[in-house]
């Protein structure tokens, strides 16, 4: 290999390593931001379960809680930037593939694209809140009802809402099953953990992932009902979905269990920020 080719190869390796470092930092910041949101949503849900029904247990409620803290504006911007990092990492997976033997498969890239779109939306909502903290944006429940109503008004809207709801149900079930089967272990640096740490990560990963999947699935069921009955008001955001658990025969204790699971998922997200292979 001549000197020019060797220099070109060296520059390529340097650029690839630099890109990898930036991508890794973005992903870990994103997992940390996700953990903060789920911790706050879980904590707000616990307060609702114990009688403080004036709280709003969704992303908007979590952002409002942060905004009221000292240096709230800084915290909101940090959260939004972390979620932008998560979106950029998912975009890199869609473009270049992810870790694992089938990381470059079309299925994995499609999933990464969907996650990229999701985190773009979440990051935009957080940064928008950071810009205009004093403007009311409505709860996730109202936003869900408004979006459902708009889709129902278009041709084949009933089918679109039903298909979207069914997709959310399937996604929720997939999230819960993978958590219970501990599929997340495939992407963790288990060798860097002690035995006790692995046990704690399993508790947060299984319980937290199952709770998150359950919330998604139930929200999807409400969307399907809204499509079948042609009633947008039957669609529910995260806040109303969580409150529904308190209306079951088990009373508020089911909501307590789900809320605790969301808190654990927040902790699990911090573990992913530390030990996830990127």
């Amino acid at each position: 290999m001549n000197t020019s080719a060797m220099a070109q190869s060296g520059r390529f390796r340097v650029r690839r390593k630099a890109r990898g470092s930036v991508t890794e930092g973005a992903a870990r910041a994103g997992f940390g931001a996700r953990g903060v949101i789920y911790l706050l949503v879980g904590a707000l849900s616990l307060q609702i379960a114990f009688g403080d029904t004036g709280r709003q247990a969704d992303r908007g409620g979590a952002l409002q809680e942060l905004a009221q803290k000292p240096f709230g504006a800084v915290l909101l911007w940090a959260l939004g930037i972390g979620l932008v990092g998560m979106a950029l990492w998912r975009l890199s997976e869609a473009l270049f593939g992810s870790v694992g033997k089938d990381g470059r498969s079309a299925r994995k890239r499609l999933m990464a694209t969907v996650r990229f779109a999701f985190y773009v939306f979440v990051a935009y909502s957080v940064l928008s809140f950071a810009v205009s903290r004093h403007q009311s944006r409505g709860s996730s429940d109202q936003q869900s009802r408004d979006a459902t109503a708009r889709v129902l008004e278009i041709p084949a809207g009933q089918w679109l809402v039903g298909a979207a709801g069914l997709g959310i149900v399937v996604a929720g079930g997939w999230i819960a099953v993978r958590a219970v089967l501990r599929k997340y272990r495939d992407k963790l640096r288990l060798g860097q953990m002690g035995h006790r740490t692995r046990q704690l990560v399993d508790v947060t990963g299984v319980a937290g992932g199952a709770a998150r999947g359950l919330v998604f699935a139930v929200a999807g069921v409400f969307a399907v009902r809204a499509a079948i009955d042609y009633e947008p008001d039957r669609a529910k955001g995260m806040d109303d979905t969580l409150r529904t658990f308190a209306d079951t025969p088990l009373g508020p204790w089911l909501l307590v269990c789900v809320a605790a699971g969301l808190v654990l998922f927040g902790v699990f997200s911090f573990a992913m920020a530390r030990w996830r292979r990127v």
Side-chain angles (χ1 to χ4, degrees):
M1 182 181 294
N2 58 41
T3 304
S4 177
M6 291 178 63
Q8 185 176 1
S9 176
R11 286 195 297 269
F12 175 77
R13 286 195 297 268
V14 169
R15 286 197 300 268
R16 185 172 60 182
K17 184 175 181 179
R19 186 182 68 197
S21 299
V22 171
T23 301
E24 181 176 353
R28 300 200 188 287
F31 280 117
R34 188 182 74 175
V36 170
I37 290 177
Y38 272 97
L39 273 178
L40 290 172
V41 171
L44 290 168
S45 302
L46 284 171
Q47 292 180 54
I48 291 172
F50 289 115
D52 190 355
T53 56
R55 299 289 183 172
Q56 183 180 318
D58 56 14
R59 185 170 58 252
L63 297 179
Q64 289 173 6
E65 287 292 312
L66 275 182
Q68 295 168 7
K69 304 299 182 186
F71 305 103
V74 176
L75 294 173
L76 289 172
W77 280 104
L79 199 65
I81 292 171
L83 291 167
V84 169
M86 177 71 92
L88 291 176
W89 171 53
R90 293 303 188 184
L91 177 61
S92 74
E93 286 191 321
L95 294 176
F96 306 111
S98 58
V99 297
K101 60 181 180 181
D102 60 341
R104 296 178 180 270
S105 66
R107 181 179 65 86
K108 285 292 183 69
R109 292 193 176 196
L110 177 60
M111 291 174 62
T113 302
V114 172
R115 288 167 174 158
F116 163 68
F118 173 76
Y119 280 108
V120 165
F121 169 76
V122 175
Y124 172 78
S125 68
V126 173
L127 291 174
S128 296
F129 187 93
V131 170
S132 53
R133 287 177 293 155
H134 301 295
Q135 295 182 11
S136 175
R137 296 184 174 273
S139 68
S140 61
D141 308 311
Q142 188 60 51
Q143 292 171 1
S144 296
R145 288 191 289 268
D146 290 345
T148 302
R150 287 194 295 269
V151 176
L152 286 175
E153 290 175 355
I154 67 176
Q158 195 170 7
W159 289 99
L160 290 174
V161 172
L166 185 59
I168 295 172
V169 172
V170 172
W174 180 78
I175 290 171
V177 169
R178 285 181 62 84
V180 171
L181 295 177
R182 299 189 295 182
K183 291 294 185 180
Y184 55 81
R185 280 189 156 213
D186 298 339
K187 298 177 180 178
L188 288 175
R189 294 169 173 159
L190 297 175
Q192 296 181 4
M193 303 180 190
H195 176 68
R196 181 64 60 85
T197 301
R198 285 197 297 270
Q199 287 182 322
L200 291 174
V201 169
D202 279 337
V203 170
T204 60
V206 173
R212 182 185 183 223
L214 177 61
V215 173
F216 270 71
V218 173
V221 169
F222 285 125
V224 172
R225 285 184 59 190
I228 293 173
D229 298 338
Y230 207 80
E231 293 185 14
D233 287 347
R234 288 192 177 275
K236 297 181 184 294
M238 177 172 278
D239 181 61
D240 265 357
T241 299
L242 287 168
R243 292 174 191 271
T244 302
F245 292 114
D247 296 332
T248 65
L250 294 176
W253 292 108
L254 179 57
L255 177 55
V256 169
C257 292
V258 174
L262 295 179
V263 170
L264 289 175
F265 187 78
V267 176
F268 176 70
S269 294
F270 296 142
M272 293 288 276
R274 172 65 177 83
W275 288 292
R276 174 60 151 90
R277 289 189 291 113
V278 178

